[in-house]
Amino acid sequence: MKDYVLGDTIARYLQPGPGGPVGMMLFPAAMAGQIAEKSSAIDSLVQIKTVGDTYPGGSAGRSLRNGGTVATLTLVSQREVTTDAGVTVVTLLRTHQGCLVEHHLRWQSGEAALDSFAVLRNEGPDTVTLELLSSFSLTGLTPFAGGDAPGDLILHRLRSAWSGEGRLVSDHVEDLGLEPAWASWGRCLRFGQVGSWPVQGFFPTAFVEDSRAGVCWGVQIAHPASWQIELGRTDAALNLSGGLADRELGHWTKSVAPGEEFRTPVAYLTVTQGGVDDAAHRLTARHRLFLDVPAVEEALPVIFNEYCTTWGSPSPQNLGAIVDRLAGKGIRYLVIDSGWYKAEGSEWFNGHGDWELDRRTFPDGLTEALDHVRSAGMIPGIWFEFETVGSRATSFTLTDHLLKRDGVPVTVGDRRFWDFRDPFVIGYLKERMIDFLKANGFGYLKVDYNNSIGIGCDGAESLGEGLRQQMAAVQGFFRTIREEMPELVIENCASGGHRLEPSMLALTSMSSFSDAHECAEIPIIAANVQRALLPRQSQIWAVLRKQDSPQRLAYSLTATMLGRMCLSGEVHELSDEQWAVVSRAISFYRSAAPVIKNGVSHRFGPKVRSYRHPEGWQAVRRLSNDGAQILVAAHRFGAAERTPIEVPLPPGRYEVSDLYSHRESVVKLTEELVAVELDEPFSAAALVLTQIE
């Protein structure tokens, strides 16, 4: 049909003939002359299934793609909307029920990723119930091979688990059962996540690499609840689609009455000449456009969180000792974590929800403690888990205002969940939380979320739609907080990194990267999650213990150079010698902050198979956007080796302008690479290289 040049990417729209399906293919503009002749079907750029449709042959229970409605989609029009901000291609399709589906592909000037979403408008006489509506669907992978490209195509996914977020899993499509058969029977792989932890199992991100052509496609879905991605084929070409989890995976249906419309979440799409790290950077760089943070965040200040110091039992006494030790150390935020609200007989994890200060521990309130924090030059912060209520809280019994499934309150462990569609809940939390934050002058809010709702809740036409509405209302409350307190710094946490997806990142200043606070795997996870979010938003903890050697301290602190430095632990019991190691790390972090804030990351080193017992090494090289500086963070794991860690450098001449380790490190620098000698197990070093004119 037509090619659209969108930055360095071409979006090619395809149609085999009048009345046939409309498909969309993406490829690098620089490789337009290398597109191969390929005999393959065109897959629809919108995947939709409604109740009453025929199922695609042979795939019921495995996929809802290419059902009866897709087979009858007809093209109405396609238009290009060009403004100073960029280009949007709108493709209008009609279903046999009289619905119009608009597919939007949007490019913003200067960006390397595209936005994709669909809007369904019911212009027919009857209510239509959706079982699937995709945010994106790509056809023709790979366009650089005439056949099915045996052995060349790799699916990369970011597998995730508690304290093991973002593990890169790479599978050849043949190993996934996606090699074409002798006849054109469909083969597919559907994966995703169900519940209100969108990053439990997998991140909503995938990459398809053509290893022979050296091209990688990347997709990322911006949605805080159940989602899915599907990779499939019927012939020589792979097709990649995704969006909301469908009826089979996500228990989702949505009824759209005549005159109503439904819009899918946005997905980000990209393609590049390069590998996974290159495609990941193009996706995460797109996040800069929705990053709206208070001015204090622009310098990427250091955080101290007292959780791994008091373990859920903050008090005026231990907070005072912490503040006295941190005064003048370069810390900007001091966060009081969980436990400040505990009622008699409760713990931090089951006493939350009423949000009344524990007067046994804080008999005189918080004023004196917070004034002490401010007098030391720090901004006070506090922890809330406002979406849930603990079993020891009075609010646990307010079942008329809590989420239900099958008429029964959804109870997960020690928690139940407020129904954010209920005006009572919004009013309650405005009074108990927002008014509390204002009255005490807090400048930082840590929002935790320690369990998932699961498949969904009552109150809508399906459990999955109930979940979608609940999470939309939760995000609406986040927006209310920001409207009421625009200078408040908000941290996004969900038992560590279970909410590291773009729509939550857009509402917060930074996110907890993991709960692996004191583990040897911290640098591994910290490097992993750089493929899913901007390092400037990735809060990485270094928990400092009085028994830690300088080498152990430096190992932990070097990991924080992969994102935002957050300290915790027994800081008031460290020796002067230990504090010298910590202070040097803070100084180095400040010199590295401009590169952390704006740059491109690549990971080097062998695959680490065991995170709990890591061996080998890892180095992350981050090149500033202007090429003037390079940050390298290198870690040696469990087996000592005398071979230096070598990191290739981009063209140019550089010199070492800053270096951090627990001792003097030997660094060799050439125009091609930098080599760092780390002989000891679990040792680390970081350096900043500056370009020589």
Side-chain angles (χ1 to χ4, degrees):
M1 286 174 55
K2 189 172 182 180
D3 284 356
Y4 295 90
V5 180
L6 307 173
D8 63 359
T9 299
I10 290 179
R12 174 167 290 175
Y13 289 83
L14 307 162
Q15 191 177 31
V22 176
M24 183 180 73
M25 189 164 65
L26 297 180
F27 53 87
M31 300 180 71
Q34 301 177 43
I35 303 299
E37 291 289 333
K38 198 179 193 79
S39 176
S40 59
I42 293 173
D43 198 65
S44 175
L45 85 162
V46 171
Q47 287 295 330
I48 177 173
K49 188 183 182 304
T50 62
V51 169
D53 274 354
T54 56
Y55 288 82
S59 65
R62 300 179 63 237
S63 178
L64 296 182
R65 298 175 81 257
N66 293 316
T69 295
V70 171
T72 63
L73 283 175
T74 57
L75 176 64
V76 176
S77 65
Q78 186 175 79
R79 69 184 189 273
E80 178 181 359
V81 181
T82 302
T83 66
D84 292 340
V87 176
T88 300
V89 181
V90 182
T91 307
L92 189 60
L93 307 164
R94 188 177 296 278
T95 76
H96 67 282
Q97 304 100 328
C99 293
L100 288 177
V101 183
E102 281 188 359
H103 178 266
H104 293 248
L105 184 69
R106 183 172 58 205
W107 171 70
Q108 298 198 44
S109 298
E111 294 303 307
L114 311 173
D115 300 350
S116 177
F117 63 94
V119 181
L120 179 135
R121 294 187 179 88
N122 187 353
E123 297 186 352
D126 302 314
T127 295
V128 171
T129 299
L130 296 168
E131 297 179 294
L132 165 69
L133 183 61
S134 64
S135 294
F136 73 93
S137 188
L138 300 177
T139 192
L141 302 179
T142 171
F144 302 108
D148 58 316
D152 295 341
L153 297 178
I154 303 168
L155 174 65
H156 303 279
R157 293 176 285 177
L158 303 180
R159 187 176 286 280
S160 198
W162 182 75
S163 291
E165 291 85 350
R167 180 189 288 263
L168 182 66
V169 179
S170 304
D171 298 287
H172 282 83
V173 298
E174 292 85 357
D175 292 331
L176 297 171
L178 295 175
E179 187 174 22
W182 63 271
S184 296
W185 288 98
R187 302 197 173 193
C188 66
L189 171 69
R190 178 175 57 191
F191 67 96
Q193 177 55 35
V194 176
S196 52
W197 270 352
V199 183
Q200 183 191 31
F202 287 101
F203 279 69
T205 303
F207 306 92
V208 175
E209 181 182 5
D210 180 341
S211 58
R212 182 179 297 272
V215 175
C216 191
W217 291 263
V219 300
Q220 187 175 44
I221 300 167
H223 185 58
S226 302
W227 59 270
Q228 70 184 40
I229 293 174
E230 289 193 65
L231 185 65
R233 73 157 93 224
T234 56
D235 49 31
L238 285 170
N239 309 301
L240 182 67
S241 65
L244 288 171
D246 63 22
R247 184 176 189 174
E248 291 183 337
L249 181 65
H251 305 263
W252 180 79
T253 63
K254 173 66 179 177
S255 296
V256 184
E260 293 182 345
E261 70 174 40
F262 179 76
R263 180 182 298 253
T264 70
V266 173
Y268 305 126
L269 316 177
T270 196
V271 61
T272 188
Q273 291 177 273
V276 170
D277 285 352
D278 301 292
H281 167 71
R282 291 166 68 93
L283 291 174
T284 58
R286 173 68 182 78
H287 299 179
R288 290 182 291 103
L289 297 186
F290 59 62
L291 193 62
D292 179 22
V293 298
V296 68
E297 271 290 278
E298 292 304 322
L300 309 192
V302 178
I303 308 105
F304 181 86
N305 183 300
E306 55 77 31
Y307 179 72
C308 289
T309 311
T310 75
W311 296 109
S313 298
S315 70
Q317 294 73 30
N318 56 36
L319 289 174
I322 291 168
V323 171
D324 290 341
R325 190 54 162 156
L326 294 181
K329 299 295 187 185
I331 312 296
R332 193 70 179 105
Y333 308 126
L334 191 150
V335 184
I336 302 170
D337 209 278
S338 57
W340 55 269
Y341 44 79
K342 289 187 297 188
E344 188 171 357
S346 72
E347 299 293 339
W348 76 262
F349 52 84
N350 61 20
H352 66 290
D354 298 337
W355 303 121
E356 295 176 350
L357 184 66
D358 177 6
R359 289 288 178 172
R360 295 166 303 142
T361 304
F362 295 93
D364 300 319
L366 288 172
T367 301
E368 185 175 345
L370 299 184
D371 285 347
H372 194 186
V373 173
R374 295 186 190 96
S375 70
M378 292 180 283
I379 295 172
I382 199 160
W383 181 98
F384 270 85
E385 187 179 340
F386 62 75
E387 294 163 67
T388 70
V389 296
S391 59
R392 294 282 185 169
T394 301
S395 49
F396 193 79
T397 65
L398 302 180
T399 55
D400 287 347
H401 306 292
L402 301 177
L403 291 181
K404 298 182 180 65
R405 186 156 59 237
D406 302 322
V408 179
V410 177
T411 307
V412 183
D414 285 300
R415 284 168 169 75
R416 288 177 175 171
F417 303 84
W418 288 117
D419 187 341
F420 275 73
R421 301 164 295 181
D422 182 346
F424 169 86
V425 172
I426 303 303
Y428 178 92
L429 290 174
K430 281 183 176 179
E431 175 191 345
R432 297 295 178 100
M433 188 180 77
I434 296 178
D435 290 352
F436 173 83
L437 294 172
K438 289 179 177 179
N440 288 282
F442 284 104
Y444 186 109
L445 170 65
K446 175 178 178 179
V447 179
D448 212 340
Y449 184 69
N450 285 298
N451 259 314
S452 169
I453 293 167
I455 61 176
C457 53
D458 296 342
E461 55 266 59
S462 64
L463 293 177
E465 175 61 9
L467 172 63
R468 190 196 66 80
Q469 292 179 7
Q470 162 74 2
M471 298 314 298
V474 166
Q475 292 194 325
F477 190 73
F478 270 89
R479 294 184 184 93
T480 297
I481 298 170
R482 297 192 63 184
E483 291 165 3
E484 296 267 349
M485 302 183 70
E487 296 306 310
L488 184 70
V489 175
I490 303 178
E491 175 192 339
N492 164 38
C493 181
S495 273
H498 288 310
R499 273 185 168 172
L500 298 180
E501 60 80 28
S503 71
M504 287 302 302
L505 299 174
L507 295 172
T508 52
S509 296
M510 68 185 93
S511 295
S512 175
F513 86 116
S514 181
D515 266 354
H517 294 146
E518 300 187 61
C519 304
E521 54 263 43
I522 285 179
I524 305 168
I525 300 169
N528 287 347
V529 300
Q530 284 200 359
R531 297 188 177 104
L533 72 160
L534 296 169
R536 66 164 295 167
Q537 286 192 283
S538 181
Q539 185 181 118
I540 301 165
W541 284 39
V543 178
L544 313 174
R545 297 295 179 205
K546 60 184 178 181
Q547 70 269 22
D548 285 348
S549 66
Q551 178 180 325
R552 180 66 174 96
L553 290 171
Y555 180 89
S556 299
L557 290 161
T558 299
T560 69
M561 309 306 168
L562 298 172
R564 295 293 298 278
M565 177 182 281
C566 180
L567 307 180
S568 191
E570 299 156 354
V571 291
H572 52 299
E573 298 183 37
L574 298 183
S575 68
D576 290 343
E577 178 187 12
Q578 289 172 310
W579 256 113
V581 178
V582 179
S583 295
R584 179 70 191 94
I586 295 172
S587 174
F588 180 90
Y589 171 82
R590 285 176 174 164
S591 70
V595 191
I596 296 170
K597 187 175 180 180
N598 294 302
V600 183
S601 295
H602 286 84
R603 182 197 179 276
F604 300 91
K607 180 178 180 179
V608 179
R609 188 165 301 279
S610 171
Y611 283 17
R612 295 298 296 132
H613 311 282
E615 295 186 354
W617 61 274
Q618 168 189 284
V620 176
R621 184 195 73 198
R622 186 164 177 81
L623 176 67
S624 65
N625 285 351
D626 61 6
Q629 287 191 309
I630 297 173
L631 168 64
V632 176
H635 284 81
R636 176 79 68 189
F637 301 128
E641 298 179 27
R642 294 195 175 275
T643 305
I645 293 174
E646 294 184 345
V647 180
L649 298 177
R653 296 177 60 231
Y654 293 87
E655 64 182 3
V656 178
S657 56
D658 205 354
L659 174 65
Y660 174 70
S661 188
H662 69 287
R663 60 174 176 80
E664 288 190 14
S665 295
V666 177
V667 176
K668 295 180 180 178
L669 186 63
T670 69
E671 290 192 8
E672 290 78 29
L673 59 85
V674 61
V676 183
E677 290 190 5
L678 290 173
D679 298 337
E680 301 153 301
F682 298 105
S683 57
L687 55 151
V688 173
L689 306 178
T690 301
Q691 193 171 42
I692 303 171
E693 295 295 337

